[in-house]
Amino acid sequence: MNFLEERISKDGLVRPGNVLKVDSFLNHQMDVQLMDQIGEEFHRRFAHKPINKILTIEASGIAIACSVARCFGVPMVFAKKSKSVNIDGDMYVAQVESFTHKTTNQVIVSKQFLGPEDHVLIVDDFLANGCALQGLISIVESAGATVEGLGIAIEKGFQQGGNLIRSLGYPLESLAIVDAMDPETGTVHFRPQN
Ligand code: 5GP
């Protein structure tokens, strides 16, 4: 098991409805040393790419994205959730359905902060059905920028997002892939990875 799988096994809580709660170290209280380790691991995996920007979505991707950005020495941009329908032409916009809240949010990134010169690593805390990543990919592509890769802390491999994103040909790296979890016993099974 790698460092993140070990931490999930120790402190993650399995909830009904295919939800894994990691509030004690990733989503609410944050273990910043763990964030640093996550940042270093994504840097190791994507160091060969010409990445000059990290992109995530608020709120829970931000801490991980900061740590990744620090390791690459590049800026981090987060897509903001916006209720406003009157978005002016200065923004890239995507619709993102939230797996945890069952709502649809409009997410926006200012055209000031993303453009054709950018080579982007997209990062997020979780991958479930892939809506958040698809929204971020569509924003990068609207900007004429290049998606160099996607880095996810925890992929729920029994949901469709991972297969979807990989089948589109994007390089996707997930530090922990959960293949099954049992709310009765609290056990989490990880997909073996190299
Ligand atoms: P997707 O768009 O891939 O369906 O879901 C990804 C987003 O939903 C992530 O940004 C994450 O915040 C949230 N999410 C999805 N599944 C879980 C889960 O099991 N636990 C937690 N804490 N968040 C989740």
Side-chain angles (χ1 to χ4, degrees):
M1 274 203 269
N2 69 28
F3 66 95
L4 185 58
E5 293 167 334
E6 275 174 14
R7 190 60 181 269
I8 295 166
S9 299
K10 184 167 154 279
D11 293 329
L13 298 170
V14 182
R15 293 287 183 244
N18 286 335
V19 172
L20 176 63
K21 282 200 85 118
V22 288
D23 278 12
S24 64
F25 59 99
L26 200 73
N27 278 162
H28 192 13
Q29 172 170 265
M30 289 190 181
D31 179 336
V32 295
Q33 278 80 30
L34 184 79
M35 298 295 150
D36 289 345
Q37 269 183 293
I38 292 174
E40 283 157 18
E41 182 58 22
F42 282 132
H43 182 253
R44 194 182 67 75
R45 294 187 188 203
F46 289 104
H48 58 292
K49 302 263 188 170
I51 290 159
N52 71 336
K53 205 155 277 184
I54 310 299
L55 178 68
T56 190
I57 182 166
E58 71 175 351
S60 48
I62 293 176
I64 292 174
C66 281
S67 168
V68 178
R70 192 177 306 114
C71 294
F72 278 91
V74 302
M76 184 281 274
V77 177
F78 64 93
K80 293 187 173 201
K81 293 175 181 160
S82 159
K83 291 271 176 283
S84 149
V85 249
N86 299 322
I87 300 294
D88 59 35
D90 296 340
M91 301 283 177
Y92 304 111
V93 184
Q95 303 297 325
V96 172
E97 201 184 307
S98 160
F99 173 80
T100 34
H101 300 109
K102 312 289 178 219
T103 53
T104 301
N105 281 299
Q106 189 164 246
V107 300
I108 56 170
V109 171
S110 167
K111 289 186 178 172
Q112 271 185 286
F113 305 127
L114 206 55
E117 67 287 359
D118 286 322
H119 291 260
V120 182
L121 175 61
I122 295 174
V123 306
D124 204 2
D125 59 340
F126 269 91
L127 172 56
N129 291 326
C131 298
L133 285 191
Q134 282 182 288
L136 293 174
I137 290 170
S138 107
I139 283 179
V140 174
E141 293 186 341
S142 319
T146 308
V147 177
E148 292 290 352
L150 301 105
I152 293 293
I154 307 172
E155 174 180 337
K156 292 191 293 180
F158 53 86
Q159 290 180 249
Q160 66 186 10
N163 286 344
L164 187 80
I165 302 293
R166 289 187 182 94
S167 72
L168 294 171
Y170 293 105
L172 167 63
E173 292 280 337
S174 299
L175 302 190
I177 303 181
V178 175
D179 266 344
M181 50 190 202
D182 185 346
E184 304 273 298
T185 59
T187 42
V188 177
H189 293 280
F190 298 102
R191 186 176 303 173
Q193 300 195 73
N194 300 332

